[in-house]
Amino acid sequence: MTATVITMCSNRKRGDPAADLSAAGLARGTADAVAAVWGRRLVQAPCALTARQLYGGRGFREAEAAAEAQGGAFLVVSAGLGLVAADAAVPAYGLTLLASHADGILGKIDDDEASAWWRALTSVSPFHSPDIPGRGLILAALSAPYMAMVADDWAGWPAERFARLRVFSKSPPVGAAAALAPAWMPYDDRLDAIGPGHAGTQADFAQRALRHFAVTFTTSSRGAPSDAAAVRAGLQGLTERERPERKRLDDADLLALISAEWDAAGGRSGAMLRRLRDDLHIACEQSRLKTLFKTVAASRGSAS
């Protein structure tokens, strides 16, 4: 029986959002009030791309590959749209759960809880569909913030549906996401040692784990506890690779460092990421670098 694959949206998106479809332009208020404004804007927004086309990044492509291997439905959990089919036409938008981002939605709502935003968003978004196609397993790759956002909603699924859920993330669901803990599959950094094609970054860990599970275990699922035991057995005897210690900087220090290393990286974003991580041992997520890199590029352009 084919599985349904669900992944979270990514900050790497194609196309520029309309002027009024960025969270930075929303006035602060309750989750319901902010969502009502956002929902009206979504209704009027042009849809030039499918969700599959809109989102980029290795993590998203890993989940897409898992869905293709399964031959089942492919869905996306979007903090700006709700739960959408990958082939649904959607608008380009600017909204994220990242608190440090200009388009971070949690800084716009008085509730300051991702679950409150999800409840309000899914009640107004014309793109959200709560239906989960098929009767097979539901494989969901989510970061901790996204687990916290959907946990209350998903915990309210019918028991039969929830029993089919398998959750993939770097750490087990805790706190606001604890309701998803029974569905969590216990992958760890030994995933990198399973074989060619399975190593990657922490940012795409959840989707890599999902893809491995999708091609290895889904045909013989006997319940979440048995599947978790199979994952542990599959990792037994493997050794996680050593990861270099990287220093974390705040945005101001990282902006200054990017500016100082601009010429050494040839003014190229990809080269800058490698220089920061490999040469200078600085921790920086790809999406964060992209935003800061654009800021430095703009300032250098205006200064020239």
Side-chain angles (χ1 to χ4, degrees), residues 3 43 46 83 96 149 162 166 196 209 235 251 256 268 280 284 292 302:
V43 170
L83 183 64
T96 178
M149 183 174 72
F162 191 84
R166 305 289 181 270
L235 297 174
D251 284 358
R268 293 179 292 116
L280 303 177
C284 186
L292 298 177
S302 61

Side-chain angles (χ1 to χ4, degrees), residues 20-27 38 94-96 102-105 108:
D20 64 348
L21 211 58
S22 292
L26 292 170
W38 185 254
L95 187 149
T96 178
D103 285 324
I105 190 59
K108 294 291 184 176

Side-chain angles (χ1 to χ4, degrees), residues 38-263:
W38 185 254
R40 288 193 294 270
R41 295 179 181 182
L42 287 177
V43 170
Q44 300 170 357
C47 301
L49 300 170
T50 65
R52 188 191 302 271
Q53 295 167 332
L54 177 64
Y55 302 114
R58 179 184 173 183
F60 191 86
R61 299 279 85 88
E62 287 280 326
E64 184 178 45
E68 290 175 353
Q70 280 293 310
F74 182 30
L75 309 178
V76 183
V77 172
S78 163
L81 304 175
L83 183 64
V84 298
D87 290 319
V90 298
Y93 67 93
L95 187 149
T96 178
L97 292 180
L98 292 175
S100 61
H101 198 284
D103 285 324
I105 190 59
L106 298 187
K108 294 291 184 176
I109 59 173
D110 297 335
D111 314 70
D112 196 30
E113 291 184 358
S115 59
W117 171 249
W118 182 251
R119 175 188 52 76
L121 169 70
T122 55
S123 69
V124 300
S125 173
F127 301 99
H128 172 69
S129 175
D131 296 329
I132 307 292
R135 306 296 297 175
L137 291 183
I138 303 167
L139 312 180
L142 303 171
S143 65
Y146 277 80
M147 286 194 296
M149 183 174 72
V150 304
D152 286 351
D153 180 12
W154 290 11
W157 284 353
E160 182 277 332
R161 179 194 289 181
F162 191 84
R164 293 187 281 120
L165 177 65
R166 305 289 181 270
V167 173
F168 303 86
S169 63
K170 184 58 194 292
S171 301
V174 296
L180 301 181
W184 182 67
M185 295 293 100
Y187 281 93
D188 57 39
D189 282 327
R190 289 175 291 175
L191 173 64
D192 290 358
I194 286 179
H198 292 293
T201 68
Q202 298 300 294
D204 52 43
F205 178 91
Q207 292 92 342
R208 289 187 290 115
L210 183 155
R211 181 171 65 86
H212 177 262
F213 187 93
V215 300
T216 307
F217 297 119
T218 54
T219 58
S220 58
S221 175
R222 296 185 300 275
S226 293
D227 287 346
V231 169
R232 293 189 184 94
L235 297 174
Q236 191 171 1
L238 300 176
T239 303
E240 64 182 73
R241 63 189 173 105
E242 290 188 15
R243 295 185 180 274
E245 291 290 332
R246 294 191 174 106
K247 182 180 180 180
R248 297 199 67 85
L249 301 178
D250 61 24
D251 284 358
D253 288 341
L254 196 52
L255 283 168
L257 183 59
I258 291 171
S259 182
E261 297 293 329
W262 189 269
D263 291 337

